[in-house]
Amino acid sequence: MEQQDPIKKEGRLTPVLALATLIAAFGSSFQYGYNVAAVNSPAELMKAFYNETHYSRFSEYISEFSLTLLWSISVSMFPFGGFVGSLMVGPLVNRLGRKGTLLFNNIFSIVPAILMGTSKTARSYEMIILSRLLVGICAGLSSNVVPMYLGELSPKNLRGALGVVPQLFITVGILVAQIVGLRSLLATEEALKRLRGWDDVDAEMEEIQLEDEAEKAAGIISVLTMFRMRSLRWQVISIIILMGGQQLSGVNAIYYYADQIYLSAGVKDQDVQYVTVGTGAVNVLMTICAVFVVEYLGRRALLLLGFSVCFIACCVLTVALALQDRVSWMPYISIVCVISYVIGHALGPSPIPALLITEVFLQSSRSAAYMVGGTVHWLSNFAVGLVFPFIQVGLGAYSFIIFAVICLLTTIYIFLIVPETKGKTFVEINHIFTKMNKVSDVHPAKDELKDIPLSAVEL
């Protein structure tokens, strides 16, 4: 009698998996998004507070340049804190685990809330700057650990959709901020049965064991070791380019300084807040769309589509801003460009890069990869937040040409290098990159690590 192959089951969204996803995303990613946009609407009021505080201390007001610099530092302390948080990912995840790190991260949410809430009474803008730094650390940890946690919990046919959920909650947090302005890793068979909703989990346990074998072959790889490994070369390069492209494409220039952009586009002062909220709503809606289409269209297609739309939007926006004083209807084109940019970024560049880190790295190098990706993400974010106001003053209507070039170069790289990972296991994805890196197809890291000092690899 012939032995029949077991029927492959498609993973489904069980109550336990849904609850774990919602708690992780809402408890961390929502706060990230909220704090991205929280300083946009009250910007003028906060600048006035800075000026009044300085006057009460020194009996003189702050100069225009110094006020702009102080405000830029206040805004950019959030991404700088994100950079610091990203450096903490590897040590904390390896010591506390994914869930433990997320629980520990609450410290960096509660303390800055207290500081921010008491800053006015204390008449201290330094407390605001410090709170932005600490809440940035919270965001830096959560933006790396949450996608890692959910990517490892999810069945492969839902990995893309659930991997986009953190970005969805980031956009919800951004929208809420705009409106207000007007368990450890479950890798055991018992836990899989609860997550999947059925008892037959042998096939998926085999996949987990295969990945575990690959991990044991390599050990826990540090950041420095990862950069020296040929078998991870294209993965590391791709993540650096995608994370850098995600932020240097100008997305946070829009969120940090949305009001100023709309005012420059000719929107009346009393109408700016409504246009900004509308943009946030569009961002949420398009990220919801990404949750549903990522497993249908794939990661690569969404990245290409998203960056291409952002490139076109930046080019047209530059022309529109340059001509708005001569053509009466040009401000409306500017608004369409900004909304188009937000749609493009929400479909691919915003949600996909963090998901890809989980997919293209095995557990042995995943935490180190998130440290690298997070570092690039937050340093790029910091640079945009700090420098963009001065770019806007210096280049005016041509500010977005820089972002257009970055979008174009990132699109070309994705088209030439980045493979599709939809529906593939972690091991299958690893095999794609071993061919690209021209190394052995079976545990390529094992031979490379022989020549690397033991201290560089955490075994």
Side-chain angles (χ1 to χ4, degrees), residues 176-197:
V176 169
Q178 291 169 336
I179 293 175
V180 167
L182 289 108
R183 247 166 290 216
S184 8
L185 182 62
L186 304 178
T188 64
E189 186 172 341
E190 181 186 356
L192 268 179
K193 290 178 181 179
R194 293 168 55 206
L195 281 169
R196 301 297 179 253

Side-chain angles (χ1 to χ4, degrees), residues 89 93 98 144-152 358 366-367 370:
V89 170
V93 164
R98 279 65 164 161
N144 291 287
V145 180
V146 173
M148 188 192 315
Y149 181 61
L150 296 181
E152 293 172 348
T358 298
R366 196 170 288 149
S367 60
Y370 268 101

Side-chain angles (χ1 to χ4, degrees), residues 318-438:
T318 300
V319 175
L321 290 175
L323 296 178
Q324 67 179 12
D325 294 331
R326 303 179 218 171
V327 183
S328 61
W329 45 267
M330 271 300 167
Y332 301 102
I333 300 298
S334 298
I335 295 173
V336 171
C337 288
V338 171
I339 294 175
S340 298
Y341 180 97
V342 169
I343 290 173
H345 215 277
L347 282 174
S350 285
I352 304 301
L355 165 64
L356 283 179
I357 298 180
T358 298
E359 295 190 319
V360 305
F361 290 92
L362 296 178
Q363 288 185 31
S364 56
S365 55
R366 196 170 288 149
S367 60
Y370 268 101
M371 286 180 65
V372 172
T375 297
V376 174
H377 170 104
W378 288 105
L379 282 179
S380 302
N381 194 327
F382 171 76
V384 172
L386 183 63
V387 175
F388 182 72
F390 299 99
I391 293 177
Q392 200 172 25
V393 171
L395 297 180
Y398 301 97
S399 302
F400 285 88
I401 283 292
I402 298 172
F403 302 132
V405 171
I406 293 172
C407 288
L408 177 61
L409 294 177
T410 308
T411 303
I412 293 172
Y413 179 86
I414 294 167
F415 180 78
L416 295 176
I417 302 297
V418 178
E420 181 56 70
T421 59
K422 181 187 73 172
K424 295 180 173 64
T425 67
F426 293 132
V427 174
E428 289 171 342
I429 296 168
N430 186 60
H431 287 171
I432 295 174
F433 278 98
T434 56
K435 294 176 182 178
M436 292 175 60
N437 293 317
K438 298 179 181 179

